[in-house]
Amino acid sequence: MAKELDRFDRKILDCLSTDARMSLTELSQRVGLSKNPVALRVKALEQAGIIVGYRAILSTQRLGLSHVSFVEVKLDDTRDAALKKFNDAVKNVPEIAECHMIAGNFDYLLKVRTGSMEAYREVMGRRISSLPHVQATSTFVVMEAVVEQTNPPLPEALD
């Protein structure tokens, strides 16, 4: 990590990760510093790449996207050119919420979000199966999300 986080930085990150629309006045009151130092710290956290953006968190339930599947993907070729081709193509499938290259018995793990099993089958049949170099897939359907984070946990403070 390029920037060491002190307790004020951690409090700023905690507050903004809960409510990014919070005013600087309210943020400074919660952090226990005046507005100018808080504004400078927020700017420094942005410049350090710790805060990479601000966004609205959407309700997948209310949008009708409550069906989640995890898909193991095995490729027929894992040389650099094949991996790049797969990586580029997988980014164009909007139903794929996450894609991770994995070390183990398969090559990638996808998190796929759709509105129903029928919609998932359509995405699997038309999009995922036809991605470059896909040899085999295995699907695991989520029954219940017990923990689902929108922000990573902050590392322990050293101060």
Side-chain angles (χ1 to χ4, degrees):
M1 181 175 359
K3 179 177 178 11
E4 194 67 35
L5 300 177
D6 65 15
R7 66 185 178 96
F8 293 112
D9 292 331
R10 298 171 65 74
K11 185 65 176 170
I12 288 168
L13 293 172
D14 182 54
C15 289
L16 290 178
S17 68
T18 303
D19 180 5
R21 294 176 54 152
M22 182 180 303
S23 71
L24 272 176
T25 302
E26 184 178 350
L27 182 58
S28 63
Q29 288 170 351
R30 289 193 187 188
V31 171
L33 294 172
S34 62
K35 267 174 63 169
N36 285 343
V38 168
L40 290 172
R41 284 174 174 270
V42 169
K43 187 170 186 68
L45 290 165
E46 291 169 346
Q47 290 174 338
I50 294 170
I51 296 176
V52 296
Y54 300 89
R55 64 181 181 174
I57 299 171
L58 308 179
S59 169
T60 54
Q61 298 294 323
R62 299 227 179 206
L63 291 170
L65 298 171
S66 59
H67 185 273
V68 177
S69 296
F70 287 92
V71 182
E72 294 176 348
V73 177
K74 179 89 174 137
L75 301 183
D76 61 12
D77 184 355
T78 56
R79 292 175 289 182
D80 285 343
L83 295 176
K84 182 177 178 358
K85 202 170 182 183
F86 178 86
N87 291 348
D88 290 344
V90 79
K91 293 172 187 172
N92 295 318
V93 181
E95 293 85 359
I96 297 176
E98 297 179 24
C99 174
H100 303 275
M101 183 184 280
I102 301 294
N105 294 331
F106 53 96
D107 301 307
Y108 287 89
L109 181 65
L110 310 179
K111 180 180 181 180
V112 181
R113 188 176 290 281
T114 59
S116 65
M117 178 57 85
E118 294 77 18
Y120 168 75
R121 287 179 59 211
E122 180 77 14
V123 169
M124 173 54 79
R126 290 184 184 245
R127 295 192 179 148
I128 295 172
S129 295
S130 65
L131 288 170
H133 301 287
V134 170
Q135 177 183 18
T137 63
S138 183
T139 298
F140 301 87
V141 176
V142 173
M143 294 172 36
E144 177 183 2
V146 178
V147 174
E148 196 168 39
Q149 295 181 349
T150 57
N151 282 311
L154 297 175
E156 292 297 319
L158 300 176
D159 53 13

